[in-house]
Amino acid sequence: MKHVSLIQFLIEERRAGRVNAELSLLIEVVARACKRIAVATNKGAIGGVLGEAGTGNIQGEAQKKLDVISNEILLEANAWGGQLAACASEEMEDPQPIPDMYPKGHHLLLFDPLDGSSNIDVNISVGTIFSVLRCPDGVTEPTAEHFQQKGTTQLAAGYVVYGPATVLVLTFGHGTHEFTLDREVGSFILSRRDIRIPEETGEFAINMSNQRHWEAPMQRYIGELLAGLDGPRGRDFNMRWVASMVADVHRIITRGGVFFYPLDAKIRSKGGKLRLMYEANPMAFIIEQAGGAASTGRERILDLQPTGLHQRVPVFLGSKKEIDIVTHYHREADGAQG
Ligand code: AFP
């Protein structure tokens, strides 16, 4: 079988008029940075990269050393390339401008440099999630406000899972594609083109320890799945929860399933657990491009008008039929209340 590298794939996409040269170069730079994060992650304890950094991020969460290292790798790699007007990250309160000594480009990059970082110390898959937006015309010093664009405006989105293999999943809005890192050669190789998520599934992912805090429609939906063969759904469902969104989403991209981080009483005041701009939006774009659905339980994620760079939202994504059912339960409950 003839291998197609990420670079070849990007050239083909350019020739087909689906990606411009600047965006294609930006993705190459991000992919190169992620290869460096993969190397750092793979070193584990002998690289001195495990454990706490002793700092907190903007959301008051303790940072792991690898959170900080991955953030620096992505910032450094992207500063000089000339494709970006600014970067924003989970680890920084405000967007980072491109230093004056480097040329500026027309894109905005958002990322969660190391998603699932509480799993690093136990050697479970972690990942990087990113989203690319166009910098509004005429804006030379982008602020948080310029990043607050609806998910439907994303030009590209992707994630990299640092697991048994390092895998990049990417979309430009023309399907979702997977690339596997060939470590010896140092290249990402196309391993699945045009991924399709099955519409139906028998597998769900949720942190069940929060069950007592969920809203009534969520209790109803999960209750029905747990009731199995004898319940209203008439079949048994299986459950998985890695607690690294990238790993849970990658399983869904591979064999179907649904992932939920719903609103619950503990996080209601924050709006949810997961971040809209660099977790929910890119994952929603990837999932929709693979034939799945992504919702807050009430609205399509990609249609949300962001109100803050670090805004949190409930996330429901995966096989379309299940997302439709659980969204219907939420709307029905809202209608009954209203
Ligand atoms: P960390 O990056 O702090 O480990 O959080 C991971 C995450 O944002 C997402 O990747 C998981 O799906 C989710 O949080 C896990 O949350 P719980 O620990 O509440 O199950």
Side-chain angles (χ1 to χ4, degrees):
M1 190 183 87
K2 196 182 163 305
H3 283 163
V4 175
S5 69
L6 174 65
I7 312 267
Q8 285 172 303
F9 176 86
L10 292 171
I11 292 171
E12 281 170 16
E13 292 297 289
R14 268 160 67 178
R15 286 189 184 142
R18 291 194 280 262
V19 182
N20 67 32
E22 196 178 287
L23 179 56
S24 135
L25 273 171
L26 171 57
I27 298 300
E28 276 183 49
V29 173
V30 171
R32 204 174 318 134
C34 290
K35 282 189 234 172
R36 289 187 54 202
I37 299 174
V39 170
T41 309
N42 289 161
K43 284 206 160 71
I46 54 170
V49 293
L50 302 186
E52 307 289 328
T55 47
N57 69 9
I58 121 93
Q59 326 191 34
E61 296 157 343
Q63 286 175 306
K64 298 280 184 186
K65 282 186 199 158
L66 263 174
D67 280 324
V68 177
I69 294 169
S70 307
N71 195 51
E72 278 166 9
I73 290 176
L74 277 158
L75 287 178
E76 232 180 79
N78 282 290
W80 60 272
Q83 298 91 31
L84 286 180
C87 285
S89 155
E90 180 189 9
E91 305 302 329
M92 308 180 305
E93 179 155 15
D94 299 312
Q96 168 111 348
I98 299 302
D100 285 339
M101 59 206 196
Y102 298 124
K104 283 193 186 160
H106 303 91
H107 296 93
L108 302 174
L109 177 69
L110 291 125
F111 50 84
D112 178 352
L114 208 68
D115 179 62
S117 56
S118 55
N119 276 327
I120 295 165
D121 297 350
V122 289
N123 200 20
I124 290 176
S125 299
V126 290
T128 297
I129 310 173
F130 61 91
S131 162
V132 182
L133 299 166
R134 177 170 301 288
C135 185
D137 287 343
V139 174
T140 51
E141 305 288 334
T143 62
E145 199 189 313
H146 300 115
F147 281 82
Q148 289 168 33
Q149 305 178 29
K150 284 187 183 181
T152 46
T153 67
Q154 291 175 102
L155 300 177
Y159 66 81
V160 176
V161 194
Y162 311 109
T166 294
V167 170
L168 163 69
V169 171
L170 186 63
T171 185
F172 293 109
H174 301 280
T176 292
H177 316 287
E178 180 203 76
F179 302 82
T180 301
L181 182 62
D182 180 334
R183 283 174 215 254
E184 277 78 46
V185 179
S187 302
F188 278 108
I189 305 294
L190 184 63
S191 37
R192 282 190 292 160
R193 198 188 276 273
D194 255 322
I195 297 168
R196 301 310 289 169
I197 301 173
E199 278 206 8
E200 296 192 27
T201 183
E203 197 164 68
F204 66 100
I206 195 163
N207 184 338
M208 283 296 296
S209 70
N210 295 321
Q211 182 175 22
R212 68 193 183 285
H213 303 294
W214 297 336
E215 296 180 293
M218 201 64 208
Q219 301 270 6
R220 173 184 172 194
Y221 172 74
I222 296 291
E224 289 181 1
L225 302 192
L226 293 176
L229 199 57
D230 303 328
R233 300 296 302 272
R235 66 176 291 186
D236 289 332
F237 284 81
N238 186 29
M239 199 198 90
R240 288 284 183 274
W241 184 248
V242 184
S244 278
M245 190 191 196
V246 279
D248 280 312
V249 168
H250 197 65
R251 188 186 55 255
I252 290 169
I253 285 280
T254 306
R255 67 180 190 210
V258 266
F259 169 97
F260 305 105
Y261 213 114
L263 205 55
D264 71 43
K266 283 188 303 170
I267 53 175
R268 174 169 281 284
S269 61
K270 293 182 178 169
K273 157 104 190 200
L274 302 177
R275 280 49 64 114
L276 173 62
M277 301 302 296
Y278 39 81
E279 292 181 315
N281 267 344
M283 288 307 199
F285 193 20
I286 289 165
I287 290 279
E288 283 199 6
Q289 285 296 316
S295 158
T296 63
R298 293 174 163 92
E299 288 163 277
R300 181 183 176 220
I301 287 176
L302 294 180
D303 283 336
L304 295 174
Q305 176 57 56
T307 54
L309 194 56
H310 300 285
Q311 179 183 353
R312 295 173 191 258
V313 290
V315 175
F316 297 53
L317 55 80
S319 298
K320 193 168 178 322
K321 192 176 158 207
E322 293 304 316
I323 300 301
D324 287 350
I325 294 173
V326 69
T327 303
H328 172 70
Y329 286 1
H330 280 75
R331 290 194 182 138
E332 203 176 74
D334 292 351
Q337 271 171 18

